[in-house]
């Protein structure tokens, strides 16, 4: 088992909270279930990875920002997390 931390925007967090409340479970429990289903359904074929990434809203902008931050040494090492 591996631990993964994610950040949701306000709209996604609210939707997750509403789902969890309706099901009377913790938001983290439903988030794990939803992520598990998404991973099970994801096609690991390398030819489809670009299409999968293109479907993530804002992914390219966030990747470019990360590249700029790394080039400007505006990062911290994993050991410091």
């Amino acid at each position: 088992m591996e631990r993964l931390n994610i950040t949701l925007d306000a709209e996604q967090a609210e939707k997750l909270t509403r789902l969890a409340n309706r099901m009377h479970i913790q938001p983290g429990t439903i988030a794990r279930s939803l992520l598990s289903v998404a991973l099970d359904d994801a096609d690991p074929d390398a030819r489809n990875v670009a299409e999968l990434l293109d479907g993530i809203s804002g992914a390219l902008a966030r990747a470019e920002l990360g590249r700029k931050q790394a080039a400007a040494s505006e990062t911290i090492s994993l050991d410091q997390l």
Side-chain angles (χ1 to χ4, degrees):
M1 182 174 278
E2 185 172 331
R3 182 171 177 83
L4 175 68
N5 292 318
I6 61 167
T7 302
L8 300 175
D9 64 29
E11 184 178 322
Q12 291 172 327
E14 176 61 28
K15 189 173 186 178
L16 180 64
T17 299
R18 285 195 320 265
L19 283 169
N21 288 340
R22 266 189 248 143
M23 299 172 77
H24 303 289
I25 59 176
Q26 294 294 318
T29 302
I30 188 127
R32 279 189 299 278
S33 178
L34 291 169
L35 180 57
S36 179
V37 169
L39 289 171
D40 287 345
D41 291 345
D43 185 354
D45 188 332
R47 293 173 294 187
N48 299 317
V49 171
E51 183 180 336
L52 176 67
L53 293 174
D54 285 343
I56 301 172
S57 178
L60 180 58
R62 290 193 307 257
E64 289 172 345
L65 175 61
R67 187 180 312 133
K68 289 177 186 175
Q69 289 172 328
S73 298
E74 297 172 350
T75 60
I76 59 171
S77 71
L78 292 175
D79 295 335
Q80 294 175 329
L81 294 178

